Amino acid sequence: MEAIKIGIIGYGYWGPNLARNFFDLPGSDLVAIADLNAESLERAQSRYPQVSPARDYHELFKLGLDAVVVSTPPSTHFTIARECLLHNLHLLVDKPLTLNAREAEELIELAESRGLNLMVGHTFAYNGAVHALKSYIDSGELGVIYYIDAARLNLGLFQRDSNVLWDLAPHDISAILYLLGEKPISVSAHGMPCVSDGIFDVAYLNLIFPKKISAHVHVSWLDPCKVRRITVVGSKKMAVFNDMENELKIKIYDKGVDVPEYTNGGFGEFQYSYRSGDITIPNIRFIEPLRQECQHFIDCIVNRAEPRSSGRDGWEVVKILAAAQHSLANGSTQEVIQWKTQNTVTSPSLQTLG
Ligand SMILES: NC(=O)c1ccc[n+]([C@@H]2O[C@H](COP(=O)([O-])OP(=O)(O)OC[C@H]3O[C@@H](n4cnc5c(N)ncnc54)[C@H](O)[C@@H]3O)[C@@H](O)[C@H]2O)c1
């Protein structure tokens, strides 16, 4: 079978990681890299002399490519993605898919009408530790899930065209949606623009899911410590996914609190009992999530399969981010998220987006 001919648009911070994987993967043929910036393009050329360089991404449309990977700043995603789809190219767009839900819907509709794959770079959908965490939740080992707490903190990297919410929270939101297998009913957010006027560099999100499960996401470009952690607290056990660990990424704590039955015997008898048992560390076969993501993109094109992080998944995350952004700008209002589409999308399969 012929390799899938790939072009990459955007070779800044993240693009080189995508290029490395698409260059290495069997079944993929990295044909071209486009970047507006001459220095970025020189870096790409010296690393991959056999790959065609282009300042203008429109050059890629003349090369007979099968697919394009978009790794440019989020504000450019919609325009570039739309043009790629209009040129009948399968598409992997990095997160966030777009900066508003209507644009995401338009991309989904366009891809569907042309029979093209539209995938979004939600890298945590390809992370073995997140899969393991989900199996602990789904098996009932953690008991009833009370809440999820996620933290993604570091000093930088400040972005020019988006705030910390749009830059970092897509990772945690996509992971939480996958872990719970549900969409939130509402979201509220508050944050601070500490360094630059009007650009939030610290944000706290609170997502409410059905069955009263809540999820908290703390994202920051302004923290002294690098933290990448998701904690799941259940009635039986608690699990921590620490992405900063090389090997011991998941720990299951047999910890909890039991509340005695009320006996009318007065406050003196009413004692919580704390359980602190073993800590289990599952052995997870870890393969670079981005490599899995790139391989999955190729596989979905070859097998005409729906990607695990599809355009629809991208749309869901964008809808949550947009509601959180509204809350952030309006004094932390509680935003109810309407999952039913308002007939702005006409394709039959998209009417099921709600
Ligand atoms: N999945 C992940 O873990 C992950 C991690 C980091 C970044 N990202 C995502 O990757 C994307 C890129 O982020 P980044 O940090 O690399 O940004 P960046 O600013 O470092 O790089 C973007 C590159 O795109 C180029 N560019 C901009 N407009 C262009 C255009 N019209 N045509 C061609 N090139 C153009 C710029 O010159 C720059 O080299 C973003 O969507 C970001 O959210 C994903």
Side-chain angles (χ1 to χ4, degrees):
M1 189 172 293
E2 273 196 35
I4 299 294
K5 294 188 183 66
I6 302 269
I8 293 179
I9 304 177
Y11 195 83
Y13 165 72
W14 194 241
N17 294 320
L18 291 156
R20 169 174 52 79
N21 278 296
F22 282 113
F23 186 77
D24 285 347
L25 281 175
S28 149
D29 178 10
L30 181 60
V31 171
I33 295 175
D35 200 299
L36 277 178
N37 181 289
E39 273 177 36
S40 300
L41 210 51
E42 265 172 41
R43 270 193 299 133
Q45 263 185 290
S46 66
R47 176 69 187 82
Y48 305 105
Q50 58 281 68
V51 170
S52 301
R55 291 286 287 274
D56 180 350
Y57 68 84
H58 295 93
E59 294 293 318
L60 269 53
F61 300 146
K62 302 170 190 161
L63 299 177
L65 299 175
D66 300 303
V68 162
V69 178
V70 178
S71 186
T72 54
S75 60
T76 65
H77 286 183
F78 173 68
T79 305
I80 297 176
R82 188 171 171 278
E83 279 186 83
C84 291
L85 292 171
L86 287 171
H87 283 86
N88 291 322
L89 293 161
H90 298 288
L91 199 56
L92 167 57
V93 183
D94 226 301
K95 56 80 195 166
L97 178 58
T98 56
L99 291 182
N100 69 63
R102 189 189 43 73
E103 289 178 350
E105 287 166 10
E106 192 177 328
L107 295 182
I108 295 167
E109 185 176 15
L110 194 53
E112 287 201 349
S113 67
R114 291 175 174 245
L116 297 166
N117 258 316
L118 173 60
M119 181 165 145
V120 62
H122 290 169
T123 314
F124 281 85
Y126 306 91
N127 188 308
V130 175
H131 297 166
L133 197 52
K134 183 166 174 62
S135 66
Y136 278 102
I137 294 173
D138 290 351
S139 70
E141 187 155 348
L142 305 185
V144 175
I145 302 305
Y146 290 146
Y147 74 89
I148 297 183
D149 184 89
R152 190 166 301 277
L153 326 171
N154 201 1
L155 192 62
L157 298 169
F158 280 76
Q159 304 291 313
R160 268 170 255 128
D161 75 335
S162 62
N163 63 25
V164 72
L165 180 72
W166 289 85
D167 181 39
L168 297 184
H171 289 307
D172 299 291
I173 294 172
S174 59
I176 290 166
L177 296 191
Y178 168 71
L179 290 175
L180 294 178
E182 286 183 314
K183 297 193 282 288
I185 299 162
S186 66
V187 63
S188 59
H190 77 103
M192 283 157 283
C194 301
V195 173
S196 303
D197 269 356
I199 299 182
F200 287 83
D201 35 36
V202 181
Y204 302 84
L205 276 79
N206 185 23
L207 300 150
I208 307 292
F209 286 82
K211 293 181 239 146
K212 294 194 183 147
I213 299 174
S214 66
H216 315 277
V217 178
H218 176 195
V219 282
S220 177
W221 289 332
L222 200 59
D223 198 282
C225 302
K226 185 167 182 174
V227 178
R228 291 176 173 186
R229 191 187 56 227
I230 298 179
T231 304
V232 183
V233 173
S235 57
K236 290 186 187 159
K237 292 184 182 174
M238 304 175 182
V240 177
F241 164 34
N242 184 353
D243 209 8
M244 295 308 297
E245 292 275 0
N246 281 333
E247 288 183 2
L248 315 178
K249 284 190 182 285
I250 292 214
K251 291 184 181 153
I252 309 295
Y253 293 82
D254 184 7
K255 286 193 177 196
V257 182
D258 296 317
V259 182
E261 276 188 33
Y262 184 68
T263 58
N264 214 10
F267 184 74
E269 276 188 22
F270 192 79
Q271 295 284 339
Y272 288 99
S273 67
Y274 298 96
R275 189 166 27 79
S276 191
D278 291 343
I279 301 169
T280 309
I281 302 175
N283 184 19
I284 296 162
R285 189 169 159 262
F286 196 77
I287 302 171
E288 184 192 8
L290 186 63
R291 188 173 186 86
Q292 308 264 49
E293 177 186 313
C294 296
Q295 179 68 65
H296 186 68
F297 182 54
I298 300 290
D299 293 345
C300 286
I301 295 170
V302 172
N303 302 321
R304 297 178 173 274
E306 167 97 354
R308 197 182 301 158
S309 55
S310 65
R312 180 194 161 109
D313 294 295
W315 171 81
E316 288 178 358
V317 169
V318 167
K319 247 182 111 75
I320 294 165
L321 289 168
Q325 177 68 45
H326 192 264
S327 173
L328 206 56
N330 289 281
S332 306
T333 45
Q334 188 79 19
E335 301 289 325
V336 174
I337 305 175
Q338 300 292 346
W339 289 108
K340 298 268 178 260
T341 49
Q342 303 294 315
N343 280 343
T344 48
V345 181
T346 48
S347 117
S349 53
L350 283 172
Q351 283 165 2
T352 60
L353 273 174

